Amino acid sequence: MAETQVLIVGAGPVGLTLALDLGQRGVRCVLIERNETSIQLPKMERCNARTMEIYRRLGIAEKVRDAGLPRSAPMDVFLATSMADLPLARLACPSVAEAKAEIAAHNDGRPLEPYQLISQYTLEPLLRSIVETHPNVTVRFGCELTSFTEERDSVTAHVRTSNGPDETIRTSYLVGCDGGSSTVRKQLGIQLQGEGNIRKLRQALFHCPDLYERIPMGKGRHYHIAEGPIFPFIILQDSARHWTLHAAASSDGEMAQIFKRSLGMPVEFEMLSVNEWTQHLLCAERYGEGRVFIAGDAAHLVIPTGGLGMNTGVGDAIDLSWKLAATLAGWGGPQLLASYEKERRPIGLRNVNASRAAMSGRLSWRAAYHPDIRKNTPEGAAIRAEMASRFDVEQRKVTEILGIEAGYRYVDSPIVWPEPGDGPDPENPHYVPTTWPGARLPHVWQRDRIALHDRMGSGYTLLRLGGKRVDTAKLEGALRATGSPLDVLDIEDDAAREIYGYDLLLVRPDLHIVWRGNQISEDADAIASVATGRAASDELQVNRKSFN
Ligand SMILES: Cc1cc2nc3c(=O)[nH]c(=O)nc-3n(C[C@H](O)[C@H](O)[C@H](O)COP(=O)(O)OP(=O)(O)OC[C@H]3O[C@@H](n4cnc5c(N)ncnc54)[C@H](O)[C@@H]3O)c2cc1C
């Protein structure tokens, strides 16, 4: 029987990201995928800022950008009556190159990386090619999990292979990254809660090599066509030669007609595929049981409006990975793995809600549609103006949600030191840098222009800021006594002290903040216990006065 430390089921973007992070952390894992090849159909097309920060930390951000839409390509979002017309409304979104220049020019805590447009059918094979070369990871396509049994110290997985006999794999932990119809979730008897089967849409992929250069309103990534009740939505794919169309069409064949009508000008195209997909707003009631966990679409299903599907799943993978590694290495306490659900399920629920808000924003400008919209009359002009002004407000609920993407905070986590008060609004769609425990460490440029994120190691980091040389021996000793990896970084730059607001920060391997303060109090042992999951924060008799 094959044996491994972690068995990952499903080589979608979430399973692949988890495999890469575990591999880099020295964990042996097997990644099984029931299909013979990576996905061929278009699905997601935008990695958000936080996912790109994660890919930077994994050392693959520039590879992802090289494979994606060119850095200089505009990312604008348009509303128009056809691709051949002038826009009714345009939301300007910077190209990656422009966004990077803005990030380089500011030191105000904004995220280190901007988004990247890359089609899922490009991203998955790229991640696969990287993961397959990692010595700690075994990737097996054509290998389907059929069931598993959990014992006290291990899990035995039963797999069906496409070119050989059935097999069993014994593993210390099993993670179901096996998508919306997750076998793992179903076997655990975990229900999805929320709104399922909201609406069916069709998606078609077109090869249309001349279109990008010929759009009078200009280059962008999303083109919403003001034609009710089907509302064609045309999305640029990463080659800039392929496009997808989403529409409430009644048949596959109708998709080509809708595309042709939406173009509004003679352009050659070939329809490569059509598939139906269903909108859901669902979150699993639990994220695992015992030695078995679920992540990504297996745990939450959102409407892609706002791009919170894969991106939320990548966040799950990064939260779970270091906890598995720490537990397997022996220094992680029991609260670490228990905290996975406590940290990530609230984010799953929050992002389901953000996706609902994004979708209702879209529906609200669509409600201004009237069949006279194209008419060259005062009524037609008024309809166009109303729809454009609503679009300008409501569509931003889809495109301007950096706070949801990068500002998530693990409120009430058992492995984060509790501070009195409520902290900043964890639902804020606008990103506000904060070091409130549980938040992701804001990005700061140092004097030498190196990003502080790039100096952080793979374990805990104790940041000593402002050049005050506070004696941190007690906390360092307490953390080292747990056997956990710790770096201590003295950062003298004023910018970091100003943005972070404290002299000391204890940061976890996933760059979320455990604790902040200006001196090490008598709580040093308790902080180390909470950080490493030996004790839950709410179990400790915390002397709240000694925080600062
Ligand atoms: C039209 C559309 C547009 C989207 N746009 C975006 C976007 O812009 N941004 C975004 O973040 N998200 C977007 N999404 C959502 C995104 O595609 C999903 O959230 C993402 O694919 C989830 O990744 P995953 O790895 O969790 O699951 P999946 O991608 O579903 O991968 C699961 C894998 O597990 C395999 N598997 C299943 N069962 C088994 C088994 N028993 N044994 C072995 N293997 C198994 C499957 O074959 C599959 O390869 C979009 C989705 C759609 C439909």
Side-chain angles (χ1 to χ4, degrees):
M1 189 193 302
E3 299 212 355
T4 191
Q5 291 185 293
V6 180
L7 176 65
I8 303 164
V9 183
V14 175
L16 286 160
T17 303
L18 177 62
L20 185 58
D21 198 55
L22 282 172
Q24 291 191 359
R25 291 185 182 281
V27 174
R28 280 182 296 108
C29 48
V30 174
L31 170 60
I32 58 169
E33 166 57 52
R34 68 179 169 197
N35 293 333
E36 295 287 347
T37 58
S38 295
I39 194 169
Q40 314 280 315
L41 291 173
K43 277 174 83 181
M44 62 70 65
E45 96 283 354
R46 194 183 64 106
C47 292
N48 70 23
R50 178 61 183 136
T51 295
M52 290 309 295
E53 279 188 350
I54 288 167
Y55 285 159
R56 179 181 178 122
R57 222 164 137 64
L58 287 167
I60 63 168
E62 293 311 310
K63 285 186 182 154
V64 171
R65 295 199 189 281
D66 288 344
L69 187 72
R71 293 164 175 80
S72 58
M75 290 282 284
D76 294 357
V77 175
F78 292 100
L79 172 66
T81 42
S82 89
M83 298 289 274
D85 295 327
L86 290 176
L88 301 177
R90 166 178 172 256
L91 299 187
C93 304
S95 67
V96 166
E98 288 166 344
K100 281 209 155 214
E102 281 293 298
I103 291 167
H106 291 87
N107 205 5
D108 54 7
R110 67 184 64 193
L112 173 57
E113 290 282 344
Y115 44 50
Q116 175 64 47
L117 192 154
I118 180 166
S119 306
Q120 191 157 340
Y121 56 68
T122 307
L123 180 64
E124 282 190 24
L126 172 69
L127 292 176
R128 178 183 173 180
S129 69
I130 295 167
V131 169
E132 276 176 337
T133 61
H134 203 288
N136 290 332
V137 187
T138 304
V139 180
R140 296 184 59 189
F141 274 60
C143 197
E144 178 177 6
L145 177 89
T146 51
S147 65
F148 58 87
T149 44
E150 190 175 348
E151 295 96 39
R152 205 171 67 87
D153 297 327
S154 64
V155 181
T156 302
H158 304 278
V159 299
R160 186 187 297 141
T161 62
S162 56
N163 53 7
D166 291 357
E167 294 178 25
T168 48
I169 302 174
R170 183 182 296 148
T171 179
S172 300
Y173 295 96
L174 185 146
V175 188
C177 303
D178 47 351
S181 58
S182 172
T183 306
V184 176
R185 186 189 67 233
K186 285 177 187 158
Q187 190 180 322
L188 290 176
I190 297 174
Q191 305 298 314
L192 290 171
Q193 297 172 329
E195 299 165 72
N197 300 310
I198 297 168
R199 190 170 176 235
K200 281 197 189 310
L201 282 177
R202 278 188 169 74
Q203 169 184 243
L205 176 65
F206 296 92
H207 184 228
C208 191
D210 301 333
L211 177 59
Y212 193 54
E213 306 300 333
R214 291 186 44 196
I215 307 168
M217 73 188 102
K219 295 187 168 85
R221 71 178 165 117
H222 285 176
Y223 296 84
H224 294 273
I225 308 298
E227 183 201 323
I230 49 172
F231 295 106
F233 174 28
I234 297 177
I235 303 177
L236 176 71
Q237 298 299 313
D238 53 17
S239 70
R241 301 288 172 261
H242 294 84
W243 300 80
T244 52
L245 166 69
H246 291 266
S250 52
S251 70
D252 286 359
E254 200 194 341
M255 291 298 278
Q257 294 163 27
I258 295 171
F259 191 64
K260 192 170 177 187
R261 202 164 63 233
S262 301
L263 292 177
M265 56 185 164
V267 185
E268 295 272 309
F269 67 83
E270 184 190 359
M271 189 163 79
L272 302 178
S273 65
V274 188
N275 64 296
E276 209 177 32
W277 65 279
T278 308
Q279 297 182 335
H280 308 282
L281 287 167
L282 295 166
C283 190
E285 56 180 346
R286 290 177 287 125
Y287 272 29
E289 200 174 289
R291 295 177 165 270
V292 182
F293 302 90
I294 52 173
D297 273 20
H300 40 73
L301 289 165
V302 298
I303 298 176
T305 315
L308 294 169
M310 178 205 81
N311 288 303
T312 306
V314 167
D316 297 340
I318 286 313
D319 185 83
L320 181 57
S321 177
W322 71 272
K323 295 171 180 175
L324 285 168
T327 308
L328 285 160
W331 59 261
Q335 290 298 329
L336 276 196
L337 285 174
S339 73
Y340 168 63
E341 175 179 311
K342 291 179 182 150
E343 293 191 341
R344 291 307 300 177
R345 187 168 177 273
I347 303 303
L349 288 167
R350 162 192 187 263
N351 291 2
V352 164
N353 286 335
S355 165
R356 181 184 292 109
M359 193 60 212
S360 63
R362 182 171 289 173
L363 294 178
S364 128
W365 65 254
R366 283 181 175 174
Y369 174 78
H370 187 281
D372 290 345
I373 192 162
R374 285 173 159 276
K375 284 204 174 143
N376 199 9
T377 59
E379 292 75 25
I383 296 162
R384 290 192 291 277
E386 172 64 13
M387 199 178 207
S389 82
R390 284 204 204 176
F391 185 89
D392 191 54
V393 174
E394 297 295 331
Q395 186 64 21
R396 292 182 198 279
K397 293 177 183 163
V398 181
T399 54
E400 295 177 14
I401 52 170
L402 191 57
I404 300 295
E405 296 173 338
Y408 52 85
R409 181 158 65 84
Y410 298 137
V411 179
D412 295 333
S413 166
I415 62 162
V416 164
W417 194 253
E419 274 199 15
D422 292 335
D425 176 9
E427 315 285 323
N428 189 350
H430 304 292
Y431 178 71
V432 180
T434 177
T435 54
W436 194 279
R440 162 198 143 279
L441 182 76
H443 151 60
V444 172
W445 292 116
Q446 295 180 258
R447 264 185 226 128
D448 55 10
R449 301 301 296 159
I450 292 178
L452 183 51
H453 276 201
D454 291 344
R455 293 195 56 199
M456 311 283 286
S458 59
Y460 293 91
T461 308
L462 181 58
L463 291 175
R464 298 196 291 205
L465 302 149
K468 291 210 192 104
R469 304 272 173 213
V470 179
D471 179 5
T472 53
K474 251 163 86 179
L475 183 55
E476 288 174 55
L479 280 160
R480 293 218 162 89
T482 67
S484 54
L486 173 69
D487 290 326
V488 180
L489 288 183
D490 286 308
I491 309 293
E492 306 212 340
D493 299 28
D494 296 340
R497 176 64 181 79
E498 205 171 297
I499 291 166
Y500 293 160
Y502 285 80
D503 291 336
L504 301 171
L505 293 182
L506 180 63
V507 185
R508 323 190 306 196
D510 61 351
L511 296 194
H512 282 257
I513 296 153
V514 181
W515 168 86
R516 61 183 179 175
N518 291 322
Q519 62 191 35
I520 301 295
S521 65
E522 59 275 22
D523 290 325
D525 287 329
I527 293 168
S529 286
V530 166
T532 55
R534 282 170 166 68
S537 57
D538 56 3
E539 284 168 11
L540 292 168
Q541 292 300 314
V542 173
N543 175 4
R544 288 172 182 249
K545 285 194 194 113
S546 65
F547 280 1
N548 301 317

